[in-house]
Amino acid sequence: VYGTEIFPTGAVPIELRPVVRGLIGEDAETLVHLFGTVSRAGIFDAAFEGAPFLLETRTGGQVGITDQQYTDLAVLTVANWLEQRPRFPESSRNSRAREFRTMRQFLPTTPRQALDEAYRFTPLTQPAT
């Protein structure tokens, strides 16, 4: 909605955050805003660093997020990539495998299984919480 690193022009100007929040609720709008403002590298780096989660923003700042917000951002990141992945050249479809492999521990079952299938990862022995 507000744009991302790759698509910096959003569909809705940032000034309309209160309107979006009123439509989808505070938690969902916060997640949408985070997804648009944090760097993808920051999301991947946080998988290696673990909690407490401090993510880099696209403007060079940092934002602290909760464990649940990190899980939600990880799910969005995985869903976003898996949706785009078939349109990429075969040679690029396994990019970020190391990062996604590490991120799996923070994912709920369904997105983790989709990622495992796409990358042919060996399933985790312990389910994520």
Side-chain angles (χ1 to χ4, degrees):
V1 168
Y2 303 124
T4 65
E5 234 171 356
I6 306 301
F7 299 103
T9 304
V12 175
I14 198 75
E15 297 79 25
L16 293 179
R17 279 189 76 187
V19 174
V20 174
R21 185 175 289 132
L23 291 170
I24 66 174
E26 185 173 345
D27 291 343
E29 191 280 330
T30 297
L31 183 62
V32 167
H33 182 259
L34 284 169
F35 189 71
T37 57
V38 299
S39 71
R40 290 301 153 257
I43 294 172
F44 289 125
D45 289 348
F48 294 100
E49 296 163 6
F53 296 104
L54 189 62
L55 302 183
E56 183 180 319
T57 65
R58 294 184 337 198
T59 58
Q62 292 185 322
V63 62
I65 62 171
T66 67
D67 292 4
Q68 184 60 55
Q69 286 172 322
Y70 182 75
T71 293
D72 294 342
L73 283 172
V75 169
L76 283 177
T77 301
V78 167
N80 187 55
W81 173 240
L82 291 178
E83 186 276 326
Q84 294 176 29
R85 189 172 182 256
R87 294 187 299 277
F88 276 72
E90 188 71 37
S91 61
S92 299
R93 290 187 188 164
N94 286 328
S95 66
R96 297 276 193 186
R98 178 177 168 265
E99 291 87 346
F100 281 128
R101 184 183 308 275
T102 302
M103 188 183 282
R104 295 161 63 222
Q105 65 186 307
F106 301 105
L107 296 172
T109 302
T110 300
R112 188 180 66 247
Q113 288 173 339
L115 192 61
D116 288 351
E117 183 179 317
Y119 279 83
R120 297 187 177 147
F121 291 144
T122 303
L124 292 174
T125 55
Q126 294 284 7
T129 57

